[in-house]
Amino acid sequence: MLKAQQACELRHGVLPYGDTLHGPDCGCPENWSSKSIRAADLADASFHQAFRRFQQGSLTPCRHLTIAYMLPHHNVTGGMKCLVEHIKLLVSRGHKVIAAHRSDTADTAMPPWTTVQASVDVVCRLHQRLGDVYPASEIDVVVVGIFHQVAELLVGIAAPVLYWEQGHEWLFGDPVRFQVQHNYKKQDQLFHMVMHLPVALAAVSGAVQSILSQEFGRASTLIPNCVDCERFRPGPLSSHPYTAVLTAPVCQQGSQPKPGVRSVLLVGNPALQLKGFDVAIAVLAAVNQVLPLHITWVCQNQPTAALLPALLASGLRIHLHVDPPQEVLPELYCGHDAFLFSSRYEAWGMPVLEAMAAGLAVVATACLGVDTFARHGMNALLAPPQDVMGLVRNLYLVLTDEQVRLQLQLNARQTAEQFTPVAIAERLEGVLYSLTSCSKELLLLRQPALADLQFTCAWASQACSKSGAAKLPKQGQEEIKEENHDHK
């Protein structure tokens, strides 16, 4: 339909902020890349050999599995929604799934915003391990949603541990990782330490696979996200009442689009700088100067104070749906003329796939993970991150050229239909069965790495502490505290 633009290519290879994640005191072993084969390398080889056997049909499942999912927090994020979807899919296919969450305040492991139920729901208090609340010997495999808990589980649970990397500030080299506040620097060092442990790795996208390979020499298996196209599907604009409206003084639009007014949807957390909503506001303000817009923003919380000056100067009226119930979310995607996505980086970009399932014309940044399924000129119009004028041109084209808009809508829906829950569930099962088939080999590889495991446990305990203590922890195993950050 349209020629792909050379400008959409990333400027720094697979990393958005520079050429490498490494530096002095980054957390990696000294001269690790020139040393002999690591236990982590042997773990990768064993896991991938088993997975190849499964794909070739020489490894045949003989029973359902008992799978523990360690849920890192209860925030409404794309990463958490996908972990919950895994639990739903595996339970529906007959597996016993244990949802586990570490907290001194939560009553359940499953987050309160979902109706999905695990087979078993256990909460680990801060002084407890998984084996204290569920018989570890009954677990076939553990899936971890955040790197902070990997070392603890490798030490405390004999079953294979799979870390599913879905992306975060530390993976992409976001400068926020160097902040001492909130122990971000220590967590960055922890991430580097974990990448050298003998844990099986899965990645949500090819972009994540590339970073893990380039920066840490790790081989990971792809487990992409899925979207339920029965829930997210084309439909009319929602009549669900909005939570609030942000009205600039010069703007007097009503709560519903008037004839000739184009409707644009935003989805995402205003508090996360990586989502690039400062760019989105600038884009919308520019287009609104020549084409009146009705803007809907589905978000986890109200826009932050940092965005208010730009919002007030924009001349925009933005209708907010703040923290809507998850069962209402598909309805809120429906009927808009365009979906605008402005992230600086993403491991996947779940709102983009959900918008495609809803049949929306997508205008987005070419931000790593989105490139997994978005193709410029085919099912979306893409521009480099922070390219305001590129996004303005793309959004204006979508809103004024009906033929372009309709073709993007059709292709977007067809793209979403390729990422069905059934297809992803079958691949996920294959990964988990493969891990159980090489569980003895993976367990043996922990022995030579025991000192590193114990040290990393101690470092994780301090890095996740809210105290922010600066001293290097003594080698030894301590408990991982409840995370004090928002996982994407």
Side-chain angles (χ1 to χ4, degrees):
M1 182 172 59
L2 296 171
K3 286 187 177 181
Q5 296 175 342
Q6 189 72 20
C8 286
E9 293 182 2
L10 296 173
R11 291 166 290 180
H12 294 299
V14 297
L15 291 172
Y17 290 100
D19 296 327
T20 182
L21 297 178
H22 302 293
D25 299 322
C26 68
C28 290
E30 187 176 356
N31 299 321
W32 66 269
S33 59
S34 62
K35 290 185 177 180
S36 58
I37 296 177
R38 303 165 294 176
D41 299 321
L42 296 174
D44 290 347
S46 180
F47 172 35
H48 283 265
Q49 185 180 28
F51 189 54
R52 282 194 297 271
R53 291 201 306 269
F54 182 87
Q55 291 178 309
Q56 293 165 359
S58 57
L59 180 63
T60 305
C62 61
R63 63 175 177 85
H64 290 115
L65 299 176
T66 298
I67 308 153
Y69 265 77
M70 291 296 299
L71 303 179
H73 55 73
H74 279 177
N75 301 326
V76 183
T77 66
M80 268 298 296
K81 287 168 61 177
C82 293
L83 289 169
V84 168
E85 183 68 17
H86 276 199
I87 292 172
K88 175 184 175 182
L89 292 172
L90 291 169
V91 169
S92 70
R93 297 170 78 88
H95 301 285
K96 183 176 183 179
V97 183
I98 305 136
H101 174 58
R102 169 164 284 124
S103 173
D104 269 351
T105 57
D107 295 322
T108 63
M110 296 298 289
W113 44 262
T114 182
T115 58
V116 173
Q117 292 185 336
S119 311
V120 180
D121 189 298
V122 294
V123 176
C124 302
R125 300 310 177 190
L126 297 189
H127 65 280
Q128 293 177 314
R129 307 181 227 180
L130 177 58
D132 295 329
V133 294
Y134 191 86
S137 60
E138 297 180 8
I139 299 173
D140 292 311
V141 63
V142 181
V143 180
V144 190
I146 189 65
F147 63 87
H148 302 69
Q149 297 175 319
V150 167
E152 172 198 3
L153 290 164
L154 287 173
V155 170
I157 302 293
V161 176
L162 175 70
Y163 172 43
W164 185 35
E165 178 58 85
Q166 300 181 77
H168 42 73
E169 295 85 345
W170 300 277
L171 177 76
F172 292 104
D174 192 314
V176 73
R177 68 196 176 110
F178 296 121
Q179 293 181 5
V180 176
Q181 186 182 17
H182 305 305
N183 284 345
Y184 272 27
K185 174 63 176 175
K186 287 186 177 295
Q187 292 179 61
D188 184 56
Q189 293 167 319
L190 173 63
F191 174 59
H192 284 243
M193 293 176 188
V194 169
M195 287 298 99
H196 297 277
L197 299 178
V199 59
L201 298 179
V204 72
S205 66
V208 172
Q209 282 185 309
S210 296
I211 294 174
L212 294 176
S213 175
Q214 172 184 293
E215 297 300 306
F216 302 103
R218 295 300 304 269
S220 56
T221 296
L222 188 65
I223 303 178
N225 284 334
C226 62
V227 63
D228 187 344
C229 288
E230 292 300 314
R231 293 184 62 233
F232 291 87
R233 57 190 307 153
L237 274 171
S238 171
S239 59
H240 193 79
Y242 52 83
T243 306
V245 61
L246 298 177
T247 308
V250 298
C251 185
Q252 299 297 327
Q253 288 184 24
S255 60
Q256 291 293 326
K258 296 179 180 179
V261 175
R262 296 301 185 186
S263 177
V264 180
L265 175 66
L266 304 174
V267 175
N269 189 342
L272 295 178
Q273 190 175 13
L274 66 92
K275 298 297 181 181
F277 284 115
D278 55 334
V279 171
I281 292 167
V283 170
L284 293 168
V287 174
N288 193 57
Q289 292 294 316
V290 294
L291 186 67
L293 300 179
H294 181 279
I295 302 161
T296 301
W297 190 348
V298 180
C299 47
Q300 288 90 330
N301 42 54
Q302 294 271 1
T304 60
L307 287 174
L308 289 181
L311 285 167
L312 290 173
S314 67
L316 299 172
R317 180 181 176 92
I318 302 178
H319 300 81
L320 300 178
H321 291 278
V322 179
D323 195 22
Q326 288 301 296
E327 60 269 20
V328 175
L329 185 61
E331 173 189 335
L332 299 180
Y333 272 94
C334 290
H336 302 280
D337 296 299
F339 174 78
L340 178 61
F341 193 75
S342 52
S343 283
R344 288 168 169 81
Y345 58 85
E346 291 283 347
W348 180 267
M350 197 61 198
V352 179
L353 191 62
E354 291 172 340
M356 287 183 169
L360 301 189
V362 170
V363 174
T365 49
C367 52
L368 295 170
V370 170
D371 294 336
T372 300
F373 53 89
R375 296 290 181 269
H376 179 70
M378 296 300 297
N379 55 14
L381 295 187
L382 305 177
Q386 297 184 275
D387 181 0
V388 173
M389 290 313 300
L391 290 168
V392 167
R393 287 191 294 268
N394 288 344
L395 182 59
Y396 184 78
L397 177 61
V398 164
L399 296 178
T400 57
D401 191 319
E402 185 177 9
Q403 183 178 356
V404 169
R405 184 169 67 253
L406 292 176
Q407 190 63 53
L408 289 174
Q409 291 172 340
L410 177 64
N411 292 344
R413 174 67 182 182
Q414 291 176 348
T415 297
E417 289 172 343
Q418 297 173 18
F419 294 90
T420 64
V422 171
I424 302 308
E426 290 175 350
R427 184 171 183 86
L428 174 61
E429 277 186 326
V431 168
L432 298 176
Y433 276 119
S434 300
L435 282 169
T436 61
S437 74
C438 61
S439 59
K440 292 181 180 179
E441 294 94 325
L442 293 175
L443 182 60
L444 287 173
L445 289 172
R446 299 181 196 178
Q447 187 59 40
L450 185 58
D452 291 335
L453 285 168
Q454 292 176 331
F455 180 76
T456 306
C457 281
W459 189 269
S461 179
Q462 189 177 80
C464 297
S465 164
K466 291 183 173 66
S467 65
K471 291 183 179 179
L472 186 74
K474 295 179 180 179
Q475 289 197 12
Q477 181 184 357
E478 297 178 20
E479 291 304 318
I480 310 296
K481 302 298 188 289
E482 188 174 13
E483 283 75 24
N484 62 348
H485 66 280
D486 288 341
H487 181 47
K488 286 196 325 109

